[in-house]
Amino acid sequence: MQLIYDKDYNYRLGLLQYLHPFEGEKFSQVLSMVNDLGLSVISPNSMVSEETIDEYLNELMRLKVRNKEFVFRALEVPKIPFISFNYLHKKILKPMRLAVAGTLLGAERALDSGGVMWNLSGGFHHASYQFMQGFCIYNDIAIAHQQLIKNGRLSTDDKVLIIDVDAHHGNGNAFSFREQTNVHLLDVYNEDIYPLSGFTREQVDFPVPLTSGTLGEEYLARLSSALELTDSDYALAFIVAGTDVLAEDKLGGLGLSVEDVAAREKMILEHLQKHKIPAVVTGGGGYSKQSAKAVSAAIRACASL
């Protein structure tokens, strides 16, 4: 297993950090917590280009991602007149574009090695080519998938599995891949919270809706059953490993512990390894002070895979 990280993944938001509960600098915290494991750490050479992003977005979205009003709305923070688009681009959009490059790099390396790549950022599952929301501007998995096909690393006949274990339903992934029959989505989510889109929930191939307050034992049992429903012939898997499932998280509404999160990632990766499916783990959401601890615990649990 290799980690993918860059110091510029971190969101150094200044005043904006008080307007959203996302732990913007947890990526560096995670790296320091697992430094003793001696895992190889690689970085994307540069953030994904605007041309690559524009290939994925539709015409209206190309305009919206360059307009600070729409970006503020997607970030779920109030519009602040004195903050310029250039500031937003430097502090938020560039780190996100770097994370997109990290997910693409992880997919390429996973396909090369047949193993596991862990991108500490990414997992922007509320974005699509048609909308951005939920602190997600670009859909890194969809952009990576598109580029893998364009570059000949995958064909349109190759089956891809997205395992989304963030507390929130991955509506952006469900919308983006709704017409791609070879991309399957397994989504474990709190059905009582945002996003409540019935249309995108119906696009999930292996849905695992949970109720608020679900604890780790039930969560892991339901996940295990869902994993057994998937096929073994996927060319690649992406995992959205959000830590907003933690009991301490203000937004997820579930009741998992740090140990549960570590067991979850180990369960997923062992399942994929058993079937020889290369995998890319992405960060997903996490809105508590325990988020970095949970990610580091999961990496420790999976370090030997």
Side-chain angles (χ1 to χ4, degrees):
M1 186 173 77
Q2 287 185 304
L3 304 182
I4 304 173
Y5 168 80
D6 191 282
K7 62 180 177 58
D8 291 328
Y9 272 5
N10 297 283
Y11 305 111
R12 300 176 177 91
L13 301 179
L15 291 175
L16 287 179
Q17 68 182 323
Y18 300 105
L19 300 177
H20 196 282
F22 188 82
E23 291 292 315
E25 297 194 44
K26 70 178 179 182
F27 312 114
S28 60
Q29 296 170 21
V30 170
L31 195 67
S32 66
M33 290 178 181
V34 300
N35 188 54
D36 62 299
L37 295 176
L39 293 172
S40 173
V41 181
I42 61 174
S43 299
N45 291 328
S46 60
M47 60 186 175
V48 70
S49 69
E50 288 193 4
E51 291 77 12
T52 297
I53 290 172
D54 284 349
E55 285 179 21
Y56 176 68
L57 302 178
N58 67 15
E59 185 175 351
L60 180 58
M61 271 294 293
R62 290 172 197 159
L63 298 174
K64 286 185 175 181
V65 297
R66 293 168 173 82
N67 184 309
K68 73 174 185 179
E69 292 187 19
F70 290 104
V71 173
F72 270 123
R73 191 178 305 168
L75 296 176
E76 300 177 337
V77 297
K79 179 184 174 183
I80 305 172
F82 64 82
I83 290 183
S84 67
F85 178 82
N86 286 339
Y87 181 89
L88 290 176
H89 191 261
K90 178 181 178 181
K91 296 292 186 178
I92 298 176
L93 302 190
K94 282 188 174 182
M96 286 186 174
R97 285 172 54 188
L98 193 60
V100 175
T103 297
L104 176 57
L105 174 62
E108 292 170 341
R109 293 291 183 92
L111 288 169
D112 288 340
S113 67
V116 178
M117 301 296 298
W118 196 306
N119 187 16
L120 296 187
S121 188
F124 305 133
H125 65 160
H126 296 311
S128 80
Y129 61 85
Q130 191 166 306
F131 53 80
M132 53 182 172
Q133 57 184 247
F135 209 81
C136 298
I137 307 299
Y138 318 105
N139 188 310
D140 54 312
I141 292 176
I143 292 171
H145 181 259
Q146 182 185 63
Q147 291 302 304
L148 292 170
I149 291 175
K150 177 183 176 181
N151 297 333
R153 302 303 305 273
L154 288 176
S155 76
T156 54
D157 293 327
D158 284 322
K159 291 175 62 177
V160 172
L161 177 63
I162 301 172
I163 301 173
D164 191 335
V165 286
D166 187 288
H168 300 84
H169 160 55
N171 59 325
N173 284 334
F175 185 86
S176 295
F177 293 106
R178 70 193 187 282
E179 296 178 351
Q180 299 192 39
T181 57
N182 283 327
V183 179
H184 298 164
L185 179 61
L186 188 163
D187 197 349
V188 186
Y189 61 92
N190 184 345
E191 66 179 344
D192 299 329
I193 62 173
Y194 161 90
L196 299 172
S197 166
F199 174 74
T200 57
R201 291 184 180 190
E202 291 171 1
Q203 310 308 311
V204 176
D205 302 278
F206 307 102
V208 186
L210 303 172
T211 56
S212 294
T214 297
L215 300 178
E217 184 177 0
E218 179 183 351
Y219 183 105
L220 293 171
R222 296 280 303 276
L223 170 61
S224 178
S225 297
L227 287 170
E228 292 304 318
L229 297 175
T230 63
D231 297 330
S232 60
D233 57 345
Y234 292 101
L236 181 66
F238 293 94
I239 299 123
V240 182
T243 59
D244 47 6
V245 295
L246 290 168
E248 294 86 352
D249 196 280
K250 299 174 182 178
L251 301 182
L254 298 176
L256 275 65
S257 67
V258 166
E259 293 75 20
D260 292 329
V261 171
R264 179 189 71 178
E265 265 70 280
K266 187 175 183 182
M267 177 189 294
I268 293 168
L269 292 179
E270 286 182 339
H271 174 84
L272 296 174
Q273 187 177 62
K274 180 176 70 173
H275 295 293
K276 297 181 172 59
I277 302 170
V280 186
V281 182
T282 64
Y287 312 95
S288 76
K289 296 297 183 182
Q290 294 293 307
S291 181
K293 183 178 179 181
V295 176
S296 63
I299 291 172
R300 287 186 177 278
C302 301
S304 61
L305 300 178

